[in-house]
Amino acid sequence: MPTTASIDLSNITHFVVNEGHGVKGLSEMGLQELPKQYIQPIEERITTAEEKNKHSKENSSTNNVRYGTSFAPKAEKALEWKDDPEPFYVSDEEAAALWPSVLRDEALKFLRNSEIVIKKLLGALMEKLNVKEIDQTKESLLMGSKRINVNYYPKCPNPELTVGVGRHSDVSTLTILLQDNIGGLYVKKFDSDMWVHVPPIHGALVINIGDALQIMSNGRYKSIEHRVMANGNNNRISALFVNP
């Protein structure tokens, strides 16, 4: 088994991914800490309540960039166990000026890639509704506004007493969800009170049909009700592209 002395710590990605040792390989070789180049600099992290508060709904310089939290009992009656930056996309210039730098580049990349997938999916779905051509006006209507949600669900000491996100359906046409490997997303079966877990699959995306598409299709496509359960053992992160 390799040891910390026998591999090049400047390229852990090659050891873990390309050579196939994985995280298990790291732990078995006795690595105690990651090299500095794999650790986000402290100055780039949003670590304090004051920094988060700058992007809150009340203090943000624009309503297009908001930091939401469910740890504000004065403002919310039913508390969910999560934090979530919610930047709306208007332009690259506004994103560069106002989106938190800690997530800006990754969020924009996810948005652009998701937009390609959304357009292809909507084209296929509209074809089944006998909409043979989507011009610029129809595309603008279907795509709507563009929003990225980065949901952070911290480990909860009493997960049985709360939820990550309560039961709801999305108002969008489509939502693209990228899960981490923790899990916790549940969808409600139609005409049933049964909830089904949607386990994360590496490299896969979850696509939700939203209320807008159900209305546009006159009910042929069904908006899905879903929720996220709180977790007592692990932190969880998910990223969503939403086009209301």
Side-chain angles (χ1 to χ4, degrees):
M1 184 67 198
T3 65
T4 54
S6 64
I7 70 166
D8 180 8
L9 292 181
S10 66
N11 193 0
I12 289 182
T13 302
H14 178 72
F15 175 78
V16 173
V17 179
N18 298 342
E19 294 186 355
H21 295 287
V23 176
K24 184 174 182 290
L26 286 180
S27 63
E28 289 180 347
M29 76 179 187
L31 185 67
Q32 297 299 312
E33 61 182 19
L34 285 175
K36 291 182 179 180
Q37 65 266 35
Y38 290 91
I39 300 175
Q40 187 179 34
I42 293 178
E43 64 270 14
E44 294 182 8
R45 306 178 200 172
I46 299 179
T47 56
T48 66
E50 291 78 11
E51 179 66 19
K52 293 178 180 180
N53 198 39
K54 289 196 303 186
H55 300 288
S56 68
K57 297 176 183 178
E58 296 79 11
N59 298 325
S60 177
S61 58
T62 171
N63 197 44
N64 293 328
V65 182
R66 301 174 297 183
Y67 184 89
T69 180
S70 292
F71 299 97
K74 291 183 180 179
E76 303 179 28
K77 295 180 181 179
L79 303 185
E80 298 170 335
W81 202 261
K82 72 180 177 75
D83 282 0
D84 59 316
E86 302 173 4
F88 280 79
Y89 179 79
V90 176
S91 66
D92 285 356
E93 292 74 21
E94 180 174 287
L98 298 175
W99 287 23
S101 60
V102 69
L103 59 78
R104 180 177 56 236
D105 293 344
E106 290 79 6
L108 283 172
K109 182 178 180 181
F110 181 61
L111 183 148
R112 291 179 181 122
N113 290 335
S114 297
E115 189 174 8
I116 295 170
V117 176
I118 288 282
K119 288 180 179 179
K120 289 184 177 180
L121 286 173
L122 285 173
L125 292 169
M126 290 300 102
E127 188 174 349
K128 294 297 183 181
L129 298 176
N130 293 321
V131 178
K132 302 301 182 183
E133 183 178 349
I134 299 179
D135 58 23
Q136 189 171 355
T137 300
K138 290 176 182 175
E139 181 179 285
S140 178
L141 176 65
L142 290 168
M143 291 300 296
S145 58
K146 305 168 190 176
R147 186 179 85 235
I148 292 288
N149 275 33
V150 183
N151 292 329
Y152 170 61
Y153 306 93
K155 183 169 65 174
C156 180
N158 300 106
E160 71 279 2
L161 300 180
T162 187
V163 293
V165 176
R167 55 189 297 175
H168 69 286
S169 58
D170 296 334
V171 299
S172 58
T173 50
L174 293 175
T175 297
I176 287 188
L177 169 67
L178 175 64
Q179 301 192 79
D180 63 10
N181 63 346
I182 300 301
L185 174 66
Y186 287 77
V187 298
K188 187 174 180 292
K189 294 185 69 174
F190 291 120
D191 302 321
S192 169
D193 291 329
M194 182 179 297
W195 289 85
V196 180
H197 184 229
V198 182
I201 299 174
H202 180 71
L205 298 168
V206 176
I207 311 294
N208 284 345
I209 289 176
D211 300 341
L213 188 53
Q214 177 170 320
I215 293 169
M216 290 180 184
S217 68
N218 200 26
R220 287 187 63 181
Y221 297 128
K222 304 295 185 182
S223 179
I224 188 70
E225 191 174 9
H226 52 286
R227 65 185 182 185
V228 176
M229 305 304 293
N231 192 299
N233 299 311
N234 299 285
N235 300 324
R236 180 179 184 268
I237 295 176
S238 66
L240 298 88
F241 172 81
V242 183
N243 58 317

